[in-house]
Amino acid sequence: MTPLNTDARLKILPPDERVGYAVIGLGDLTSQELYPAFHLSGQSRLAALVSGDRDKATQQARQLGLRDDDVYTYDELERLKDRPDVQAVFIVLPNAQHREFTERAAAIGKHVLCEKPLSVSVQDAQAMVDACQNAGVLLMTAYRIQYTPHHQAARDLMRDGTLGRVKLIEATDVQVEPDEGQWRLKRDMAGGGSLLDVGLYCLNTARYLTGEEPTEVFAYTHSTPGDPRFTEVEESVSFVLRFPSGIIANSFCSYGASRQRSVRVMGEDAHLTLDPAFDYTNLRLRVGTEDAVREHLIREVDQFALELDHFSHCVLTGETPFTPGEEGLQDQVIMEAIYRSAREGRPVRLDRHEGQDVFRGTPPRPTERERS
Amino acid sequence: MTPLNTDARLKILPPDERVGYAVIGLGDLTSQELYPAFHLSGQSRLAALVSGDRDKATQQARQLGLRDDDVYTYDELERLKDRPDVQAVFIVLPNAQHREFTERAAAIGKHVLCEKPLSVSVQDAQAMVDACQNAGVLLMTAYRIQYTPHHQAARDLMRDGTLGRVKLIEATDVQVEPDEGQWRLKRDMAGGGSLLDVGLYCLNTARYLTGEEPTEVFAYTHSTPGDPRFTEVEESVSFVLRFPSGIIANSFCSYGASRQRSVRVMGEDAHLTLDPAFDYTNLRLRVGTEDAVREHLIREVDQFALELDHFSHCVLTGETPFTPGEEGLQDQVIMEAIYRSAREGRPVRLDRHEGQDVFRGTPPRPTERERS
Amino acid sequence: MTPLNTDARLKILPPDERVGYAVIGLGDLTSQELYPAFHLSGQSRLAALVSGDRDKATQQARQLGLRDDDVYTYDELERLKDRPDVQAVFIVLPNAQHREFTERAAAIGKHVLCEKPLSVSVQDAQAMVDACQNAGVLLMTAYRIQYTPHHQAARDLMRDGTLGRVKLIEATDVQVEPDEGQWRLKRDMAGGGSLLDVGLYCLNTARYLTGEEPTEVFAYTHSTPGDPRFTEVEESVSFVLRFPSGIIANSFCSYGASRQRSVRVMGEDAHLTLDPAFDYTNLRLRVGTEDAVREHLIREVDQFALELDHFSHCVLTGETPFTPGEEGLQDQVIMEAIYRSAREGRPVRLDRHEGQDVFRGTPPRPTERERS
Amino acid sequence: MTPLNTDARLKILPPDERVGYAVIGLGDLTSQELYPAFHLSGQSRLAALVSGDRDKATQQARQLGLRDDDVYTYDELERLKDRPDVQAVFIVLPNAQHREFTERAAAIGKHVLCEKPLSVSVQDAQAMVDACQNAGVLLMTAYRIQYTPHHQAARDLMRDGTLGRVKLIEATDVQVEPDEGQWRLKRDMAGGGSLLDVGLYCLNTARYLTGEEPTEVFAYTHSTPGDPRFTEVEESVSFVLRFPSGIIANSFCSYGASRQRSVRVMGEDAHLTLDPAFDYTNLRLRVGTEDAVREHLIREVDQFALELDHFSHCVLTGETPFTPGEEGLQDQVIMEAIYRSAREGRPVRLDRHEGQDVFRGTPPRPTERERS
């Protein structure tokens, strides 16, 4: 693990000059990934915890060196208005709550970094974009992979001609969701099944790597009959995207299969593999031709810290995040089309968007891609 | 490389007790793979060459230790009737010629081993099955992978419960077909593009591993606009198969992307990867869970020799080959449905076939799976 | 990256209950690895910086959220006596300074965690052990790899019989030291060449994995003639250790070869490979037999945080560290024998030590070896 | 598997123009590897079998399409004098018999290809070289790896500067010899233990890759006390070679550890790994720097066929084999020094030989290194 202290990276600011965050939602992702990420970041500071469980939050705050009055319950969110040292919130709640908390945070003038998926519907996602725009605060969809060195290197290899003309993309993200009671398996909390959680990585990565927007989608969904976990939401989705340049992307996502997270890009001169592609560490990037397979050894940096610091940099400079609300909204549009295709048993056309990266903002400063 | 001389394998017969073959078509596959395979086989003997080019054939015959009068031109095929030491033919011709030569060989009482795809249409494939049945000779589709230890081990791992319930299959076979003049790029010779050649590996492997027959297919095809290689046949196909047990199989094939040949099977307990999956040597089989990835080290045997000897064994015993004409015909049916789906932009239903391995004959004797 | 917050790991204490450290020496290791490690630890707190360069130290202190008066120059070390919140020092200085700063820290009642090698000679190392014992403070040699999950798993596999009787060990640690001016290439600062830095990993790992002490050593050293980097210290060492159980360990270390860090243990039933073995992240552990190679997927935790927290736990409980000064002293004894063997061109006998782990203290609490 | 029929390879000759061989000794290597190799060769023809067991030999001859009078007992070897179609013998007998059969074959004017090790002592090896020289026949030591594309590519990478100046070599060849009764474990048959069989691969490869001759060796041997397999010959040897250019090579061989066969070359710019290095198929060659690891995909050709055809080419042209008797003799000299070093517990000096490849003859024609 490497701190963010080299010249090519964002500057490390003294703690009191960093952007202060209130984290809303203290589940596993927060405690296992975000707390360390704040420690490893250079422009972001954890300033407050917002939770439904004051005792749990207070206990965590003490471990983190925060004061008891840095803890807020969900009801007390609006009291953050009086905390000028808290400029942003990081929403890490079940999908269905993203809209409400985004609107409430925007209403008190806080910038919003929101976990993916942005919301549970196009309608809600659009409302979130609108709320932040009207309040004059930034909204960023927390698409971690668009900020990691391995994915950035993969994107470069697609664009610098190493692969030749790209023809096909395969993206897979499957895992077992074992717990029947998990909110991710409840339609009203999650808004959908494996597609909104793991499948979104496949979709978002295909869009990120190509820089294009798909024009048509076809999908199948499947749930194992009788499996009590999949009565409200789908277990698996197979979807195919067509892009304007002719690229076809095949994707698989599932909550019912042993973990696999990979991306393969097939060009006329070479192919590129990210496997594992979506893990928090130990990503591997290989490029193969008929003569050789080359594994690029890329130094890893805490992915959440990179994501956090990009947003902090935007808060400090006023730049539009690379993955703003609009980027999350577009995936929501496509995911609704995927579900429609599966429901109606036919391909579904999408609005055509010309150009590259049409829903993205200022690119993240290139992180130095050092050797591990 | 290992000769087939252990007890668990088919017996090595003295040369004059082996099944004698006339090979029809002396292209690269014949000279680079089949000649060595005959040398390595235990029940098969190369007895005659049939070619359009008598000089080339005579030269090769001499290198192989055959006599000049073991050489026949295509016109002279029927003279093999007078060669009782030639019991079978191996057809290694462009797809569109498979029917004619199968019918002619059957008419003179020779058993037929025919390269894949069996033919260029359901109609022709059916005619080949009928011709051989009427003539009382065996017809086998040369599906090499159904006779190789790595694929057999993969199939066992699917059936013995190691993977848990299988949910998804990914199969990819892409390569660059660089030569615009290649017969594989001519519709009247090949009957189609990448699907009939490399895509058939994906289709056939998904059917072989599951033992099931797909009930529905959806497909996209794509050819790079302006590429002179793909004016008659398609460059790439993405197709999705649904199987009765709920398994979904995503496949990619292409003549326009750097070589990749892999199969991944995703079960609820583990996943299985064959990569490379369809090469002649150096196949790799791995099984992964969240705790470990296990690479099975399986001793390789010449794949073509295994295939040949299975057919010879059937000729000697009268058993039905594991991959008879009907097995090839069924793939032809599905490939026509794939093309229809792509043409009509909608899923296409297939006839339902209950049971396991409904188009297959006597399984190959288990080859000993030794360590390499 | 995983925080240390599960039950199987050391408890996360509130910051004011953690052991406070003064870090002495602010080079790359400190800024790139130790600062993040303190952030990720659960029982350790960075409380003061000791440096020869007050300005640099002050700048880093501010980035870290420390106060300006948490900064001390080397001369001011003794002022830490008045800081009861600083219970320990972490010495990250050139080897030749380890003794002086250990003695000074012990004299003011601070526990000492000292980077490896413990010192530049047996004599100095013994003096450090004595000084800490006399002062009643703990001394730990910072042997990171003895606290990492991958090495612990490797040791378990050696002891639980998975490998069968172990016969041979290969350990390699080579890298390029490009900078002629580096203190590591100066005899009076480093005390030796590649052996004391990278070669020590090979030596210490062989001792750790076997739990035994070598009884004889043979070594060659080599420096490329005319290379200005290697006028004072050796470039490469090849050394062979014999252990009482019959295990032979071959090792290579060098400052002149492209980075390779690996360990292989060969048993009668299986072999075990750690490759890379000594990196800070992305370690890989594989166990192979003739039938299969199994890669164990082990969740990584910040290695420096594990090491730090082990020492903090000892400070809080009074237990002897697993790698106390005596453990570092024993390596010093063996390294002197290695140099003597190379110098005299003959094997050198070592004192026989019966038993397992004779120089080690209380084992670290088992970290939970989770999947990555 | 690829036949040897491309322009870059040796020409495929009609069977009656190839060099005819009598194979002496029909053990597993002969039946499992050499018979197929003869089938796959282009200039070599199996013409006679010489065995102690006429029935077994006759049975194998029939399977191979040979006549009953192509079979000879050991006593009948001299009758081959009357077989002008047999120009060479391939000796595949226990080491201690190599000398006798070489001398007998030379005496009747047959060229000799002899399995490695050339013999059981320097004295016997020298006698073999002399016998063949006096009789005017060629003698080649069957050092398979000096004829394989992967090793040739490794040697090229060492010499073309890819690795930078080479510093260190590691070579390992260990396996379990389970059968107490095996002739390889009898001193009078084998002449030594693991060193003469598997250790010779390490030694010969280090010499082949560097092209240099070692000037000094140090070695330890070890046999597990009480293991009945190792009462006559040693189980394991660790040996270190010093080369004139400063390269140090560490090697391990054993009959008591789970199979591992690898070579690693460490240069200042890159390292090279062959792993597995000595298997008959599926060799892997990788070159790594700090930025990337590149696996070279090299098309494999039957290794024994390459070796055979090199010797046949020499028989037909009169050229000196690349690995003549002198090459095998030099390894015998070094192996005796290794044993002496272990016995006397001190390094042993070797005669200095300046120049490159001083014991080698005409290089094999470059095989085309195609992609697999």
Side-chain angles (χ1 to χ4, degrees):
Chain A
M1 192 52 48
T2 306
L4 308 176
N5 65 353
T6 69
D7 292 345
R9 301 219 187 84
L10 292 170
K11 242 172 66 180
I12 300 188
L13 300 175
D16 57 0
E17 297 178 22
R18 300 181 190 182
V19 174
Y21 283 79
V23 172
I24 308 178
L26 306 187
D28 285 351
L29 185 74
T30 297
S31 60
Q32 291 179 16
E33 305 299 336
L34 299 187
Y35 292 161
F38 275 107
H39 286 315
L40 296 170
S41 79
Q43 308 212 344
S44 313
R45 181 176 40 82
L46 182 57
L49 304 183
V50 184
S51 169
D53 179 340
R54 187 188 296 275
D55 288 347
K56 168 181 156 189
T58 302
Q59 185 188 8
Q60 292 190 6
R62 288 176 186 169
Q63 284 184 336
L64 291 159
L66 296 178
R67 298 158 308 162
D68 287 6
D69 51 9
D70 292 329
V71 168
Y72 300 80
T73 62
Y74 293 142
D75 291 342
E76 299 167 346
L77 179 71
E78 279 70 19
R79 288 180 39 211
L80 284 169
K81 196 171 181 184
D82 306 326
R83 288 280 300 262
D85 65 314
V86 175
Q87 297 105 307
V89 299
F90 195 160
I91 298 177
V92 199
L93 294 164
N95 307 341
Q97 297 175 277
H98 290 186
R99 175 175 175 177
E100 175 198 334
F101 280 83
T102 295
E103 290 173 340
R104 288 172 62 189
I108 57 170
K110 305 299 180 189
H111 302 287
V112 177
L113 175 56
C114 183
E115 256 308 317
K116 38 91 15 203
L118 187 59
S119 188
V120 293
S121 67
V122 172
Q123 186 186 342
D124 279 11
Q126 184 67 60
M128 292 163 70
V129 169
D130 294 344
C132 289
Q133 192 171 352
N134 294 338
V137 297
L138 297 176
L139 173 61
M140 170 169 148
T141 318
Y143 282 137
R144 176 173 48 89
I145 63 97
Q146 297 199 28
Y147 301 96
T148 69
H150 281 78
H151 285 81
Q152 288 166 348
R155 181 174 154 113
D156 288 350
L157 287 163
M158 282 191 66
R159 302 198 175 182
D160 69 11
T162 300
L163 306 185
R165 185 172 180 142
V166 171
K167 305 294 178 73
L168 308 164
I169 296 175
E170 259 176 21
T172 300
D173 196 341
V174 305
Q175 64 185 45
V176 172
E177 190 56 74
D179 176 8
E180 197 181 329
Q182 237 278 352
W183 68 258
R184 292 187 185 283
L185 301 177
K186 305 301 166 195
R187 174 160 302 281
D188 60 351
M189 296 285 270
S194 60
L195 178 62
L196 269 86
D197 182 15
V198 289
L200 179 49
Y201 281 102
C202 302
L203 169 58
N204 190 254
T205 300
R207 291 178 52 244
Y208 168 68
L209 291 178
T210 60
E212 301 177 38
E213 295 304 328
T215 56
E216 189 175 310
V217 64
F218 177 80
Y220 283 119
T221 58
H222 184 74
S223 298
T224 304
D227 191 320
R229 294 172 295 170
F230 307 117
T231 53
E232 299 193 13
V233 300
E234 85 283 355
E235 178 183 7
S236 304
V237 186
S238 156
F239 60 93
V240 190
L241 306 167
R242 303 199 77 156
F243 287 94
S245 64
I247 294 174
I248 301 175
N250 271 6
S251 287
F252 257 147
C253 62
S254 179
Y255 273 161
S258 173
R259 191 164 61 200
Q260 280 286 280
R261 296 165 177 160
S262 65
V263 172
R264 185 157 49 170
V265 180
M266 290 171 257
E268 61 190 350
D269 295 336
H271 58 269
L272 171 162
T273 305
L274 278 163
D275 184 6
F278 306 129
D279 292 16
Y280 300 150
T281 58
N282 291 16
L283 304 190
R284 299 183 73 188
L285 172 61
R286 273 165 287 187
V287 176
T289 65
E290 304 212 347
D291 293 323
V293 177
R294 187 175 195 272
E295 177 171 358
H296 293 247
L297 303 176
I298 298 171
R299 186 159 190 167
E300 294 194 301
V301 181
D302 186 276
Q303 298 178 9
F304 292 94
L306 289 169
E307 176 184 68
L308 268 174
D309 277 358
H310 176 73
F311 191 55
S312 296
H313 180 74
C314 292
V315 166
L316 292 171
T317 62
E319 290 175 0
T320 304
F322 188 57
T323 54
E326 288 79 356
E327 169 77 0
L329 170 57
Q330 169 67 356
D331 280 331
Q332 220 85 41
V333 169
I334 299 167
M335 290 192 290
E336 287 197 0
I338 287 171
Y339 280 129
R340 183 143 47 99
S341 170
R343 212 165 46 236
E344 301 181 1
R346 60 173 190 85
V348 170
R349 295 279 170 103
L350 292 156
D351 286 347
R352 206 170 177 93
H353 299 279
E354 303 294 343
Q356 283 272 308
D357 296 321
V358 293
F359 295 108
R360 296 189 183 89
T362 307
R365 289 187 50 165
T367 57
E368 191 188 355
R369 284 179 210 135
E370 299 174 78
R371 292 160 268 114
S372 69
Chain B
M1 193 51 50
T2 306
L4 308 176
N5 64 354
T6 68
D7 292 345
R9 301 220 187 83
L10 291 170
K11 243 173 64 181
I12 299 188
L13 299 175
D16 58 357
E17 297 178 22
R18 299 182 190 182
V19 174
Y21 283 79
V23 172
I24 309 177
L26 307 187
D28 285 350
L29 186 74
T30 297
S31 60
Q32 291 179 16
E33 305 300 336
L34 298 188
Y35 292 161
F38 274 107
H39 285 315
L40 296 169
S41 79
Q43 308 211 344
S44 312
R45 180 176 41 82
L46 182 58
L49 305 183
V50 184
S51 168
D53 180 340
R54 186 187 297 274
D55 288 346
K56 168 180 156 189
T58 302
Q59 186 189 8
Q60 291 189 7
R62 288 175 186 171
Q63 285 182 335
L64 292 159
L66 295 179
R67 298 160 306 164
D68 287 5
D69 52 8
D70 292 327
V71 169
Y72 300 80
T73 61
Y74 292 142
D75 291 341
E76 298 167 345
L77 179 71
E78 279 70 19
R79 288 181 39 211
L80 284 169
K81 197 173 179 186
D82 307 325
R83 288 281 299 263
D85 64 315
V86 175
Q87 296 106 307
V89 299
F90 194 160
I91 299 176
V92 199
L93 294 164
N95 307 341
Q97 297 176 276
H98 289 185
R99 177 176 173 176
E100 175 199 332
F101 279 83
T102 296
E103 290 173 340
R104 289 173 62 189
I108 57 170
K110 305 299 180 189
H111 302 286
V112 178
L113 175 55
C114 182
E115 256 309 317
K116 39 83 27 195
L118 186 58
S119 188
V120 294
S121 68
V122 171
Q123 187 186 340
D124 279 11
Q126 183 68 58
M128 293 163 71
V129 169
D130 294 345
C132 290
Q133 192 171 352
N134 294 338
V137 296
L138 296 177
L139 173 61
M140 171 167 146
T141 318
Y143 282 137
R144 176 174 48 90
I145 62 98
Q146 297 199 28
Y147 301 96
T148 68
H150 281 79
H151 285 82
Q152 288 165 350
R155 182 175 153 113
D156 288 350
L157 286 163
M158 283 191 67
R159 303 200 174 179
D160 70 9
T162 299
L163 307 186
R165 184 171 182 144
V166 171
K167 304 295 178 72
L168 308 164
I169 295 176
E170 259 176 22
T172 299
D173 195 343
V174 305
Q175 64 184 47
V176 171
E177 189 57 72
D179 177 9
E180 199 182 326
Q182 237 278 349
W183 67 259
R184 294 187 184 284
L185 300 176
K186 306 300 166 197
R187 173 161 302 281
D188 61 351
M189 296 285 270
S194 61
L195 178 62
L196 268 87
D197 181 16
V198 288
L200 179 49
Y201 281 102
C202 301
L203 169 58
N204 190 255
T205 300
R207 291 178 52 244
Y208 168 68
L209 291 178
T210 60
E212 302 178 37
E213 295 304 328
T215 56
E216 190 175 309
V217 63
F218 177 81
Y220 283 120
T221 59
H222 184 75
S223 299
T224 304
D227 191 320
R229 294 172 296 171
F230 307 116
T231 53
E232 298 193 15
V233 300
E234 85 282 355
E235 178 183 8
S236 304
V237 186
S238 156
F239 60 93
V240 191
L241 306 167
R242 304 199 76 156
F243 287 93
S245 65
I247 293 173
I248 301 175
N250 271 6
S251 287
F252 257 147
C253 62
S254 180
Y255 273 161
S258 173
R259 191 165 59 198
Q260 281 284 281
R261 298 166 177 160
S262 65
V263 172
R264 186 157 49 169
V265 179
M266 290 172 257
E268 60 190 351
D269 296 336
H271 57 270
L272 172 162
T273 304
L274 278 163
D275 185 5
F278 306 128
D279 292 16
Y280 300 150
T281 57
N282 291 16
L283 304 190
R284 298 183 73 188
L285 172 61
R286 274 164 287 185
V287 175
T289 65
E290 305 210 347
D291 293 323
V293 177
R294 187 174 194 273
E295 177 170 357
H296 293 247
L297 303 176
I298 297 172
R299 187 159 189 169
E300 294 194 301
V301 180
D302 186 276
Q303 297 178 11
F304 292 95
L306 289 169
E307 178 185 67
L308 268 175
D309 277 357
H310 176 73
F311 190 55
S312 296
H313 181 74
C314 291
V315 167
L316 293 172
T317 61
E319 288 176 2
T320 303
F322 188 58
T323 54
E326 288 80 358
E327 170 76 0
L329 170 58
Q330 168 68 355
D331 280 331
Q332 221 85 43
V333 169
I334 299 167
M335 289 192 291
E336 287 198 1
I338 287 171
Y339 280 129
R340 183 143 46 97
S341 170
R343 212 166 45 237
E344 301 181 1
R346 62 173 187 84
V348 170
R349 294 281 169 101
L350 292 157
D351 287 346
R352 207 173 177 93
H353 299 279
E354 304 293 342
Q356 283 272 306
D357 296 321
V358 294
F359 295 108
R360 296 189 182 89
T362 308
R365 289 187 52 165
T367 57
E368 191 188 356
R369 285 182 209 131
E370 299 174 77
R371 290 159 271 113
S372 69
Chain C
M1 194 49 48
T2 307
L4 308 176
N5 65 355
T6 69
D7 291 346
R9 301 221 187 82
L10 292 170
K11 243 172 66 178
I12 299 189
L13 300 175
D16 57 358
E17 298 178 21
R18 299 181 190 182
V19 174
Y21 284 79
V23 172
I24 308 177
L26 307 187
D28 286 350
L29 186 75
T30 297
S31 60
Q32 291 178 17
E33 304 301 334
L34 299 188
Y35 293 161
F38 276 106
H39 286 316
L40 296 169
S41 78
Q43 309 212 345
S44 313
R45 181 175 39 82
L46 182 58
L49 305 183
V50 183
S51 169
D53 180 340
R54 186 187 297 276
D55 288 347
K56 168 181 156 189
T58 303
Q59 186 189 5
Q60 291 190 8
R62 287 176 187 169
Q63 285 182 337
L64 292 159
L66 296 178
R67 297 159 308 162
D68 287 5
D69 52 9
D70 292 328
V71 169
Y72 300 81
T73 62
Y74 293 142
D75 291 340
E76 300 168 344
L77 180 71
E78 279 69 19
R79 289 180 40 210
L80 284 170
K81 196 172 182 185
D82 306 325
R83 288 282 299 263
D85 64 313
V86 175
Q87 297 107 306
V89 299
F90 194 159
I91 298 176
V92 198
L93 293 164
N95 307 342
Q97 298 176 278
H98 289 186
R99 176 176 173 177
E100 174 198 335
F101 281 83
T102 295
E103 290 174 339
R104 290 172 62 189
I108 57 170
K110 306 299 179 188
H111 302 286
V112 177
L113 175 56
C114 183
E115 255 308 318
K116 39 102 357 215
L118 186 57
S119 190
V120 293
S121 68
V122 171
Q123 186 186 343
D124 279 11
Q126 183 68 59
M128 293 164 71
V129 168
D130 294 345
C132 290
Q133 192 171 351
N134 294 337
V137 297
L138 297 176
L139 173 60
M140 170 168 147
T141 317
Y143 282 137
R144 176 173 48 89
I145 63 97
Q146 297 199 27
Y147 302 96
T148 68
H150 281 79
H151 286 81
Q152 289 166 348
R155 182 175 153 110
D156 288 350
L157 287 162
M158 281 191 68
R159 303 199 174 180
D160 69 10
T162 299
L163 307 186
R165 184 172 182 141
V166 171
K167 305 294 178 74
L168 309 164
I169 295 177
E170 257 176 23
T172 300
D173 196 342
V174 305
Q175 64 184 46
V176 172
E177 190 58 72
D179 177 9
E180 199 181 326
Q182 237 277 351
W183 67 259
R184 294 187 183 283
L185 301 177
K186 306 300 166 198
R187 174 161 302 280
D188 61 351
M189 297 285 269
S194 60
L195 178 62
L196 268 87
D197 181 15
V198 289
L200 179 49
Y201 281 103
C202 302
L203 168 58
N204 190 253
T205 300
R207 292 178 52 244
Y208 168 68
L209 291 178
T210 59
E212 301 177 38
E213 296 304 328
T215 56
E216 190 176 309
V217 64
F218 177 80
Y220 282 120
T221 58
H222 185 74
S223 300
T224 304
D227 191 320
R229 295 171 296 171
F230 307 117
T231 53
E232 299 193 13
V233 299
E234 85 283 357
E235 178 183 7
S236 304
V237 186
S238 157
F239 58 94
V240 190
L241 306 168
R242 303 198 77 157
F243 288 94
S245 65
I247 293 175
I248 300 174
N250 271 6
S251 286
F252 256 147
C253 62
S254 181
Y255 273 161
S258 173
R259 191 165 60 200
Q260 281 284 282
R261 297 164 177 160
S262 65
V263 173
R264 186 157 49 169
V265 180
M266 290 172 257
E268 61 190 351
D269 295 336
H271 57 270
L272 171 162
T273 305
L274 277 163
D275 186 5
F278 307 128
D279 292 16
Y280 301 151
T281 57
N282 291 15
L283 304 190
R284 299 183 73 188
L285 172 60
R286 274 164 286 186
V287 176
T289 65
E290 304 211 348
D291 293 323
V293 177
R294 187 175 195 271
E295 178 171 356
H296 293 248
L297 303 175
I298 298 172
R299 185 159 191 169
E300 293 193 301
V301 180
D302 186 277
Q303 297 177 11
F304 293 94
L306 290 169
E307 177 185 68
L308 268 176
D309 278 358
H310 176 73
F311 191 56
S312 296
H313 180 74
C314 292
V315 167
L316 293 172
T317 61
E319 289 175 359
T320 303
F322 188 58
T323 54
E326 288 80 357
E327 169 78 0
L329 170 58
Q330 168 68 355
D331 281 330
Q332 220 85 42
V333 169
I334 300 167
M335 289 191 291
E336 287 197 0
I338 288 171
Y339 280 129
R340 184 144 45 100
S341 170
R343 212 166 46 237
E344 303 181 0
R346 60 173 190 84
V348 170
R349 294 281 169 103
L350 292 157
D351 286 346
R352 206 173 176 93
H353 299 280
E354 303 292 342
Q356 283 272 307
D357 295 322
V358 293
F359 295 108
R360 296 189 183 90
T362 308
R365 290 187 48 165
T367 58
E368 189 188 358
R369 286 184 208 130
E370 299 174 78
R371 292 159 266 112
S372 68
Chain D
M1 194 50 49
T2 306
L4 308 177
N5 65 354
T6 69
D7 291 345
R9 301 220 187 81
L10 292 170
K11 244 173 64 180
I12 299 188
L13 300 175
D16 56 359
E17 297 178 21
R18 299 182 190 181
V19 174
Y21 284 79
V23 172
I24 309 177
L26 307 187
D28 285 351
L29 186 74
T30 297
S31 60
Q32 291 178 18
E33 304 301 335
L34 299 187
Y35 293 161
F38 275 107
H39 286 317
L40 296 170
S41 79
Q43 308 212 345
S44 314
R45 181 175 39 83
L46 182 58
L49 305 184
V50 184
S51 170
D53 179 341
R54 187 188 297 276
D55 289 347
K56 169 180 155 188
T58 302
Q59 186 188 6
Q60 291 189 8
R62 289 176 186 170
Q63 284 181 338
L64 291 159
L66 296 178
R67 297 158 307 161
D68 287 5
D69 51 10
D70 293 327
V71 169
Y72 300 81
T73 61
Y74 292 143
D75 292 341
E76 300 167 345
L77 180 71
E78 279 69 18
R79 288 182 40 212
L80 283 169
K81 197 173 179 186
D82 306 326
R83 288 282 300 263
D85 64 314
V86 175
Q87 296 105 308
V89 299
F90 194 159
I91 299 176
V92 199
L93 294 164
N95 307 341
Q97 298 176 277
H98 289 186
R99 177 176 172 176
E100 175 198 334
F101 281 83
T102 294
E103 290 173 340
R104 290 172 63 190
I108 56 170
K110 305 299 179 188
H111 302 286
V112 178
L113 175 55
C114 182
E115 256 308 318
K116 38 91 15 204
L118 186 59
S119 189
V120 293
S121 67
V122 171
Q123 187 186 341
D124 279 10
Q126 183 68 59
M128 292 162 71
V129 168
D130 294 344
C132 289
Q133 192 170 352
N134 294 337
V137 296
L138 297 176
L139 172 61
M140 170 169 147
T141 318
Y143 282 137
R144 175 173 49 88
I145 63 97
Q146 296 199 29
Y147 301 96
T148 68
H150 282 78
H151 286 81
Q152 289 166 347
R155 181 175 154 112
D156 289 349
L157 288 163
M158 281 191 67
R159 303 199 175 179
D160 69 10
T162 300
L163 307 186
R165 185 172 181 141
V166 171
K167 305 295 179 73
L168 309 165
I169 295 177
E170 259 176 23
T172 300
D173 195 341
V174 304
Q175 64 184 47
V176 172
E177 189 57 72
D179 177 9
E180 199 182 324
Q182 237 278 349
W183 68 259
R184 293 186 184 284
L185 301 178
K186 306 300 166 199
R187 174 161 300 281
D188 60 351
M189 297 285 270
S194 60
L195 178 62
L196 268 88
D197 181 16
V198 289
L200 179 50
Y201 281 103
C202 302
L203 168 58
N204 190 253
T205 300
R207 291 179 52 243
Y208 168 67
L209 291 179
T210 59
E212 301 176 39
E213 296 305 327
T215 55
E216 188 175 311
V217 65
F218 177 80
Y220 283 121
T221 58
H222 184 74
S223 298
T224 304
D227 191 319
R229 295 172 296 171
F230 307 118
T231 53
E232 299 193 14
V233 300
E234 84 282 357
E235 178 183 7
S236 304
V237 186
S238 156
F239 60 94
V240 191
L241 307 167
R242 304 199 77 156
F243 288 93
S245 65
I247 294 174
I248 302 174
N250 272 5
S251 287
F252 257 148
C253 62
S254 181
Y255 274 161
S258 173
R259 191 165 59 200
Q260 282 283 282
R261 298 166 176 160
S262 65
V263 172
R264 187 159 47 170
V265 179
M266 291 172 256
E268 62 190 351
D269 296 336
H271 57 270
L272 171 162
T273 305
L274 278 163
D275 186 4
F278 306 128
D279 293 16
Y280 301 150
T281 58
N282 290 15
L283 305 191
R284 299 183 73 188
L285 172 61
R286 274 164 285 186
V287 176
T289 65
E290 304 210 348
D291 292 323
V293 177
R294 188 174 193 272
E295 177 171 356
H296 292 248
L297 304 175
I298 297 171
R299 186 159 191 169
E300 294 193 301
V301 180
D302 186 276
Q303 298 177 11
F304 292 95
L306 290 169
E307 178 185 66
L308 268 175
D309 278 357
H310 176 73
F311 190 56
S312 296
H313 180 73
C314 291
V315 167
L316 292 172
T317 62
E319 290 174 3
T320 304
F322 188 59
T323 54
E326 288 80 358
E327 169 78 1
L329 170 59
Q330 168 68 354
D331 281 331
Q332 220 85 42
V333 169
I334 300 168
M335 289 192 291
E336 287 197 358
I338 288 172
Y339 281 129
R340 183 144 46 101
S341 171
R343 212 165 45 237
E344 302 181 0
R346 60 173 189 85
V348 170
R349 293 280 169 102
L350 292 156
D351 287 346
R352 206 172 178 92
H353 299 279
E354 303 294 341
Q356 283 272 308
D357 296 321
V358 293
F359 295 108
R360 296 190 182 89
T362 308
R365 290 186 49 164
T367 57
E368 191 188 357
R369 290 186 203 126
E370 299 173 79
R371 291 158 269 114
S372 68

